């Protein structure tokens, strides 16, 4: 119940295309869902986050879609660029715990 | 702000040796986290502190691992004795509110031979 399942494991997208990464969870007590971006040799960096009281959040080319009834959320990267090539992690946490459960990561490669 | 600072960046040690990883959180952050990242297991939370007090150490794999936070600006993760299966990248992260997410350091790549 503490797991966050992430797919796909790897993704190759053409420049200008849309990258979509999906995550699913079981624990309905989770109330905060961040996405992190990690470049080789660096620590993960917060990209965008959402709470379950909204169905979508957009920041620039990055959008989180959230489906509370299905217990799923996804990251969409519009107009994907080679500079977006990185590993993306979804995560979930319960209010007040500050303890994140991370997905297993998706390695994205955007071809020039 | 210099961000979360970890040292060393790389550590190679022999099996059985003691290893100490260091972390300086962002000033003003009252939560500090130690994570381990491997290909097989992804990002695993080892332990986290709030106001220098350990809150949850359920992720610490075994007694060979210990963590301390003697003050708000410094934490250590110690492995004694180290084993080859401890080889991983260890990240420290800090935070002051859930809505702001974590800020991770650049990690320490540990190789135990």
């Amino acid at each position: 119940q503490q797991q966050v399942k992430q797919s796909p494991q790897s993704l190759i997208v053409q420049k200008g295309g849309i990258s979509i990464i999906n995550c699913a969870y079981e624990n309905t007590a989770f109330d905060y869902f961040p996405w992190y971006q990690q470049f080789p040799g660096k620590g993960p960096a917060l990209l965008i986050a959402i709470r379950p009281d909204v169905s979508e959040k957009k920041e620039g080319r990055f959008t989180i879609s959230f489906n509370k009834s299905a217990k799923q959320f996804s990251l969409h990267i519009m107009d994907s660029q080679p500079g977006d090539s990185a590993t993306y992690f979804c995560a979930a946490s319960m209010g007040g715990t500050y303890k994140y459960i991370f997905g297993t990561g998706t390695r994205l490669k955007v071809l020039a | 702000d210099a961000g979360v600072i970890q040292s060393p960046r790389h550590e190679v040690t022999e099996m059985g040796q003691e290893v100490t990883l260091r972390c300086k959180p962002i000033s003003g952050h009252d939560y500090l986290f130690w994570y381990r990242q491997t290909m097989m297991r992804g990002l695993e939370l080892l332990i986290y502190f709030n106001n220098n007090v350990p809150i949850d150490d359920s992720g610490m794999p075994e007694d060979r691992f210990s963590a301390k936070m003697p003050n708000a600006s410094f934490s250590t993760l110690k492995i004694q004795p180290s084993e080859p299966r401890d080889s991983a990248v260890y990240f420290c992260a800090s935070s002051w509110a859930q809505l702001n997410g974590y800020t991770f350091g650049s990690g320490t790549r540990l190789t135990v031979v």
Side-chain angles (χ1 to χ4, degrees), chain A residues 25-32 93-95:
Chain A
Y25 64 97
E26 288 295 323
N27 191 338
T28 55
F30 288 144
D31 65 352
Y32 180 68
S93 74
M94 287 178 278

Side-chain angles (χ1 to χ4, degrees), chain B residues 17-33:
Chain B
Q17 296 297 306
E18 177 180 293
V19 175
T20 299
L21 312 181
R22 297 172 176 79
C23 175
K24 177 179 169 55
I26 291 174
S27 177
H29 283 191
D30 54 357
Y31 283 83
L32 183 137
F33 308 83

Side-chain angles (χ1 to χ4, degrees), chain B residues 55-67:
Chain B
I55 302 300
D56 185 344
D57 65 354
S58 59
M60 297 286 263
E62 45 197 279
D63 292 344
R64 297 184 297 107
F65 286 69
S66 62

Side-chain angles (χ1 to χ4, degrees), chain A residues 32-111:
Chain A
Y32 180 68
F33 302 89
W35 284 89
Y36 280 78
Q37 178 189 55
Q38 184 180 27
F39 293 104
K42 302 291 186 183
L46 180 64
L47 192 60
I48 187 172
I50 198 168
R51 288 193 172 274
D53 51 349
V54 298
S55 59
E56 187 175 281
K57 182 174 181 180
K58 185 175 180 180
E59 290 184 3
R61 296 184 294 108
F62 299 91
T63 300
I64 299 178
S65 296
F66 190 86
N67 186 328
K68 188 174 181 179
S69 60
K71 292 183 283 187
Q72 295 175 348
F73 57 110
S74 59
L75 176 70
H76 296 234
I77 306 174
M78 312 300 287
D79 187 26
S80 299
Q81 299 297 311
D84 298 329
S85 298
T87 300
Y88 293 80
F89 294 92
C90 62
S93 74
M94 287 178 278
T97 68
Y98 291 81
K99 181 177 173 178
Y100 291 1
I101 307 298
F102 280 91
T104 50
T106 296
R107 185 172 294 183
L108 170 65
K109 185 176 177 68
V110 181
L111 302 176

Side-chain angles (χ1 to χ4, degrees), chain B residues 71-87:
Chain B
N71 57 61
S73 60
F74 184 65
S75 178
T76 59
L77 178 68
K78 186 176 293 187
I79 308 172
Q80 165 64 19
S82 57
E83 296 182 2
R85 61 193 167 116
D86 302 330
S87 297

